[in-house]
Amino acid sequence: MATTEKMTLNMGPQHPSTHGVLRLVLELDGEVITKITPDIGYLHRGVEKLSEHRTYHQVLPLTDRLDYLAPMHNNLGYILTVEKLLDIQVPERAQTIRIIMAELTRLESHLVWLATHALDIGAMTVFLYAFREREVIMETYELISGARMTSNFFRAGGLSQDVPPEFEKKVRDFIAAMPANLDQYEGLLTTNPIWLKRTVGNGVISAEDAIDMGITGPALRGSGVDLDLRRDNPYSGYENYQFQIPVGEKCDTFDRYKVRLVEMREACKIINQALDRLKPGPVLADCPQVCYPPKENVYNSIEGLIHHFKIASEGYPVPEGEVYQGVENPKGELGFYIVSDGSSKPYRMRIRPPSFVNLQAIEKMAKGAMIADLVAVIGTLDVVLGEIDR
Amino acid sequence: MAENNRAVVKLKEKFASSIIEVVEFRGEVTVTIKKEDLLAVLAFLKQALQYNLLTDVTAIDYLGKKEERFMMVYLLYSIPNKDRLRIKTAVSEAECHIESATQVWATANWLEREVYDLFGITFDNHPDLRRILMTPDWEGYPLRKDYPLQGPDREPYKGRLS
């Protein structure tokens, strides 16, 4: 009589399908997973601790490096929290550009998700197409901020600088071509029998379980819960835009795939509406205590130079109090909770990372599945380890 | 105002003795409660007032600023009503433990592990209380205010010399 025993298999942290340095310790009965123990923290940089020792302005570059596939949205979440504490109003043009960049970021993040998710499951062609489009978004990033990923573009009170004149045409051309590109991806996947076999019925999590696990973002909407902070608790002027929020029904990987694809089409609509609203005007609030002076003043007048020096060296004091601001990141709800003691550095800054909370559900979603299905579940959760480990 | 907030009205009816403070700042309502009643309040908010999503659990270290050193923060969100509520409760350094909210929400599991890992607050009746971001053999709790920024046994960074 042959006996079988369970096997422990180590997956990661260096594994192409774990999207970074995620380590999973699997307990296997044959090829069926009976237990998953995630091991995270390989990328821990102590962002929350670091931010307690930096001025509010100096914290901003740390936020790019959380979810490095959605840097502008991280900047937006942080800046909105600081602006809430300072209680300052942002000019219309700055808000509109913020929304354009936030939605381009959503497209970028979803493109990378689609590319890697499909590649993990074995559909390589989509990867090449999606990265072709992502490159245009990276070029747009570079055009306005000078960097492809670590944008550091928003400022408390507005933007670091206005966008160059060619920005609008570049985005319009990109958005005009995007629906046809999305059709192309869908043509490769949506009715593809292999894709359906791998995704339909995979990684099911019910709406109740999803809420209990604190899942947010497309993963929650895929389970049929209609929650989107852009509509429910609007920020940065999202209340002025019309867009649909897709929700899934079957709570599986395929529905989450459909939700994200519809979200990409909706992001294009939001960007089009925002481009139509874009009017000339200032991009920084008239708030000299907080905002840097224009560069020509810094270079040409002693007052401007002193003003710049004062903010750069001392920072700006922020009223005492505590606020939380959540934004609908491509991965879920990204929140910043800042406790201020009235000085120019945060007393405590907490980052509520969507990927961290979503990853917790992995055991629920992949228990009883095969190893190959676990790869699909990691892909559908769309986690970024830079944000999980902070 | 904070007094008219739907949750504050109900909490004052039901848990009048355990509410220490109600604050509203920038439109956000924070209720500070006594530590013993934490689970009862959280369960009541979840079941009776539809605060069904636990967004976040974290802590603040008020070393030398407040009598009780730590403050636990629970951030709740109601999907049907689309509003937020923040519940806070103080934890002293001498009795550095608190009931685990995993009995109310499964999502508290990792969030509390992170608080344990970085602040050293232990959670009673937690199913799997281990370090999560730091290595298992790490000594000290990095987010405490008396933990040096550069890490233990290292000279503080003095800036570039050139």
Side-chain angles (χ1 to χ4, degrees), chain B residues 81-149:
Chain B
N81 294 299
K82 308 185 193 316
D83 61 345
R84 289 185 196 283
L85 183 70
R86 196 153 52 229
I87 299 291
K88 298 207 302 188
T89 184
V91 176
S92 66
E93 197 175 3
E95 283 188 46
C96 206
H97 61 92
I98 188 166
E99 269 307 305
S100 165
T102 46
Q103 298 156 56
V104 190
W105 285 280
T107 178
N109 188 333
W110 279 24
L111 295 167
E112 287 181 344
R113 273 178 69 186
E114 191 184 328
V115 172
Y116 164 70
D117 189 3
L118 304 179
F119 284 94
I121 300 170
T122 51
F123 293 88
D124 305 334
N125 301 318
H126 189 285
D128 183 26
L129 197 63
R130 290 180 291 130
R131 284 190 181 268
I132 186 163
L133 293 177
M134 311 302 286
T135 52
D137 56 349
W138 195 265
E139 282 175 25
Y141 303 105
L143 272 182
R144 286 189 174 189
K145 287 282 177 186
D146 51 6
Y147 191 93
L149 175 66

Side-chain angles (χ1 to χ4, degrees), chain A residues 332-352:
Chain A
E333 177 179 346
L334 171 77
F336 286 89
Y337 171 58
I338 299 181
V339 180
S340 164
D341 59 354
S343 71
S344 60
K345 294 173 181 171
Y347 184 74
R348 164 97 174 98
M349 183 175 95
R350 159 72 182 166
I351 302 157
R352 191 267 181 202

Side-chain angles (χ1 to χ4, degrees), chain A residues 144-171:
Chain A
I144 64 162
S145 73
R148 285 164 59 90
M149 286 176 93
T150 50
S151 53
N152 194 19
F153 181 61
F154 302 148
R155 293 287 182 276
L159 310 173
S160 66
Q161 55 190 309
D162 204 346
V163 291
E166 59 268 37
F167 168 78
E168 193 176 332
K169 184 175 182 311
K170 189 166 180 73
V171 178

Side-chain angles (χ1 to χ4, degrees), chain A residues 134-188:
Chain A
R134 176 180 181 259
E135 191 57 30
V136 181
I137 301 180
M138 294 283 87
E139 284 170 11
T140 315
Y141 262 54
E142 194 176 347
L143 178 72
I144 64 162
S145 73
R148 285 164 59 90
M149 286 176 93
T150 50
S151 53
N152 194 19
F153 181 61
F154 302 148
R155 293 287 182 276
L159 310 173
S160 66
Q161 55 190 309
D162 204 346
V163 291
E166 59 268 37
F167 168 78
E168 193 176 332
K169 184 175 182 311
K170 189 166 180 73
V171 178
R172 271 201 199 276
D173 290 350
F174 174 70
I175 294 303
M178 202 57 204
N181 290 327
L182 285 164
D183 290 341
Q184 207 171 23
Y185 313 146
E186 288 220 58
L188 284 163

Side-chain angles (χ1 to χ4, degrees), chain A residues 216-340:
Chain A
T216 46
L220 180 68
R221 290 190 285 276
S223 287
V225 181
D226 192 7
L227 168 67
D228 190 316
L229 296 177
R230 290 177 293 170
R231 179 202 56 199
D232 298 338
N233 303 84
Y235 51 89
S236 199
Y238 265 112
E239 61 273 21
N240 303 319
Y241 297 85
Q242 269 78 47
F243 56 95
Q244 301 296 318
I245 293 159
V247 287
E249 285 168 6
K250 298 199 190 69
C251 318
D252 59 2
T253 299
F254 186 72
D255 273 21
R256 288 185 285 270
Y257 155 78
K258 289 288 282 180
V259 163
R260 287 197 179 96
L261 277 177
V262 177
E263 264 180 28
M264 287 162 84
R265 291 185 195 274
E266 294 300 319
C268 294
K269 286 188 201 162
I270 297 174
I271 295 172
N272 267 330
Q273 292 173 39
L275 284 169
D276 293 340
R277 294 171 68 96
L278 201 59
K279 302 277 178 318
V283 292
L284 204 55
D286 184 17
C287 186
Q289 299 90 329
V290 173
C291 303
Y292 278 92
K295 281 282 180 284
E296 62 261 31
N297 291 8
V298 180
Y299 295 146
N300 298 316
S301 79
I302 188 70
E303 293 82 3
L305 185 65
I306 293 170
H307 183 185
H308 180 96
F309 183 73
K310 228 176 129 52
I311 297 181
S313 57
E314 291 174 359
Y316 40 83
V318 166
E320 200 177 332
E322 50 178 75
V323 294
Y324 175 87
Q325 174 71 48
V327 292
E328 190 68 37
N329 225 37
K331 313 279 189 297
E333 177 179 346
L334 171 77
F336 286 89
Y337 171 58
I338 299 181
V339 180
S340 164

